[in-house]
Amino acid sequence: MVSFYHFDRMNQVQPEPGEWSNYFQRFLDGQMLYGSWYDHVGNWWNKTKTYPKLHYMFYEDIAEVIYLVEPLPEDKKTIVELVHFDNMKNNEMTNCSKRPFFDFSISQFMRKGKVGDWKTHFTVAQNEAFDEDYRSKMKDPTLRFRTEI
């Protein structure tokens, strides 16, 4: 939700997201430009069951591999270097810096790359509300988001 909020702030072709607390509630209510985030994510997750080449990759999974201390095989080492946040942030193909409708003075497309940064936005009450909302709307127990490493 935090990433989506900052993306909406800098994306000049979408409606202004407004203040965080209002955005938070609209997100829970599914009143986003393209509908419910839960439906979007859940539908794609379901497709991974019938399309074996479709792979969900979570940022926390990437970050965990990047910071492993054990040596990696050469091909994995190359991939890890390519998906390292700093490398992606400096790559025009991934940082979207050539897109004229993104206002980078508001937020960068590749913003922080910090696992757990959501904690700087959510209040305790919002975290509890989100967790309850997530449990009630995301019915597939195999879809588990990580929020820490």
Side-chain angles (χ1 to χ4, degrees):
M1 185 187 306
V2 172
S3 293
F4 204 176
Y5 174 69
H6 287 288
F7 176 77
D8 282 353
R9 288 179 57 234
M10 55 96 71
N11 186 345
Q12 302 300 293
V13 296
Q14 290 188 182
E16 167 64 35
E19 295 299 316
W20 168 251
S21 59
N22 292 333
Y23 188 86
F24 177 87
Q25 192 58 53
R26 284 196 331 271
F27 186 96
L28 295 184
D29 294 340
Q31 297 175 349
M32 306 307 293
L33 182 62
Y34 298 105
S36 167
W37 174 85
Y38 297 105
D39 292 344
H40 174 76
V41 170
N43 289 336
W44 279 106
W45 183 255
N46 286 334
K47 290 194 181 302
T48 64
K49 296 171 185 171
T50 54
Y51 294 93
K53 292 186 178 183
L54 182 61
H55 179 71
Y56 249 71
M57 179 62 71
F58 300 98
Y59 182 75
E60 291 76 9
D61 297 335
I62 295 170
E64 187 174 59
V65 169
I66 288 171
Y67 298 110
L68 284 176
V69 292
E70 61 193 58
L72 293 171
E74 198 57 39
D75 58 340
K76 287 187 180 179
K77 185 177 178 184
T78 301
I79 293 169
V80 166
E81 286 178 21
L82 290 172
V83 299
H84 191 282
F85 182 82
D86 292 338
N87 293 336
M88 290 176 63
K89 187 170 185 158
N90 292 320
N91 181 332
E92 290 179 357
M93 294 295 290
T94 56
N95 69 18
C96 298
S97 59
K98 299 296 184 189
R99 305 276 169 92
F101 47 86
F102 289 157
D103 186 343
F104 293 101
S105 69
I106 295 173
S107 180
Q108 298 293 308
F109 183 77
M110 304 291 292
R111 206 170 55 84
K112 286 187 177 181
K114 303 273 187 229
V115 172
D117 184 57
W118 63 272
K119 294 175 188 177
T120 65
H121 290 75
F122 278 57
T123 64
V124 171
Q126 287 173 335
N127 184 40
E128 291 170 356
F130 179 82
D131 286 349
E132 179 58 35
D133 199 55
Y134 186 89
R135 278 190 293 277
S136 72
K137 292 177 180 169
M138 297 301 273
K139 302 297 184 190
D140 189 334
T142 64
L143 177 55
R144 297 262 184 225
F145 282 89
R146 299 170 62 192
T147 58
E148 298 181 72
I149 295 178

